[in-house]
Amino acid sequence: MSADHHDDELVPEQTEGFKVGEKKTIDEYQQLDQNDESLRKWKESLGIGSGSTISDPNDPRKVIIFSLGLEIEGRSDVIIDLTTPNSLEELKSKPFTIKEGATFRMKARFRVQHQILSGLKYVQVVKRMGVSNKMQEMIGSYSPNTSDKPEYEKKFESETAPTGMLARGHYTAVSKFIDDDNVTHLKFEWAFDIKKDW
């Protein structure tokens, strides 16, 4: 199953009436009205103006996803280091196990560089026996990381694995990180098994 097969399903849901704002550089944001207290707080919340840049001029990527993790209640975290060679291929070929009824949540560690990242979302489609289930999680907007804050971590909403004999089995999934400009920053296939026990 190719990742291209899922492109139509992986289109993020749009908020009615929402329009992406005009793009500005970090310098332009820093020069915005210094006397406006609410604007100053908004810029601080994005991390604009604290620390020195750590963006790599030789790396054109706007977002670098370092790792994906799975926090499972009562178990050690499963962390996939995406900086290692073949890590995405292994996600597809080496499914991980989730016990039926277990509570878990995903998390991502990432760096933003070069410019403000607006409206990063995580979209996934899970398939089993021809039935698909789509979910979307808003991650947010971020300024480029600095020496004061070298990376971000986002923990997603908790989920509970389905239970029962019909829920057990092998699942395949395609996921992507996409922003408000419809730029896909990472897309990958993966698999997992829901079993009666670990």
Side-chain angles (χ1 to χ4, degrees):
M1 168 171 56
S2 135
D4 295 338
H5 175 72
H6 297 278
D7 278 349
D8 291 343
E9 294 174 303
L10 284 170
V11 172
E13 296 160 17
Q14 301 298 321
T15 303
E16 194 174 330
F18 174 77
K19 289 188 175 66
V20 176
E22 176 190 349
K23 297 287 176 243
K24 291 185 180 355
T25 66
I26 293 299
D27 288 340
E28 287 173 323
Y29 277 116
Q30 288 187 356
Q31 298 308 315
L32 289 174
D33 191 351
Q34 300 285 332
N35 299 320
D36 184 330
E37 184 66 15
S38 62
L39 187 56
R40 187 187 62 74
K41 286 184 177 178
W42 176 75
K43 290 193 302 185
E44 272 179 16
S45 77
L46 285 176
I48 296 173
S50 84
S52 55
T53 184
I54 55 172
S55 296
D56 182 350
N58 299 315
D59 186 342
R61 293 178 293 173
K62 195 164 148 185
V63 180
I64 303 166
I65 313 284
F66 293 129
S67 71
L68 296 171
L70 198 64
E71 291 182 348
I72 304 168
E73 202 172 84
R75 312 247 336 149
S76 297
D77 293 355
V78 175
I79 304 292
I80 296 101
D81 181 354
L82 297 180
T83 63
T84 59
N86 303 319
S87 55
L88 290 178
E89 291 80 5
E90 287 182 16
L91 264 177
K92 184 178 174 183
S93 63
K94 295 182 179 174
F96 53 89
T97 298
I98 300 175
K99 180 183 175 183
E100 62 177 349
T103 299
F104 63 93
R105 72 174 169 187
M106 290 182 55
K107 61 183 176 181
R109 277 181 44 247
F110 59 97
R111 173 176 294 157
V112 176
Q113 54 180 18
H114 307 306
Q115 57 183 293
I116 298 277
L117 173 68
S118 178
L120 184 65
K121 301 168 200 72
Y122 172 80
V123 183
Q124 90 179 9
V125 174
V126 175
K127 287 195 171 185
R128 179 165 182 253
M129 299 188 313
V131 177
S132 40
N133 180 24
K134 178 180 175 180
M135 72 82 85
Q136 176 174 309
E137 176 105 14
M138 173 56 83
I139 297 174
S141 297
Y142 298 87
S143 68
N145 287 101
T146 64
S147 54
D148 286 354
K149 185 154 186 67
E151 65 181 44
Y152 296 109
E153 181 179 68
K154 168 68 176 180
K155 294 189 178 191
F156 296 7
E157 292 293 319
S158 293
E159 298 181 60
T160 301
T163 59
M165 193 170 68
L166 294 177
R168 290 179 217 135
H170 185 71
Y171 293 76
T172 59
V174 175
S175 298
K176 73 177 175 181
F177 290 85
I178 185 169
D179 66 21
D180 278 346
D181 294 323
N182 288 320
V183 174
T184 297
H185 299 285
L186 179 67
K187 181 177 174 183
F188 57 95
E189 295 182 62
W190 53 290
F192 62 97
D193 297 314
I194 292 183
K195 297 188 175 178
K196 191 170 185 174
D197 216 332
W198 298 107

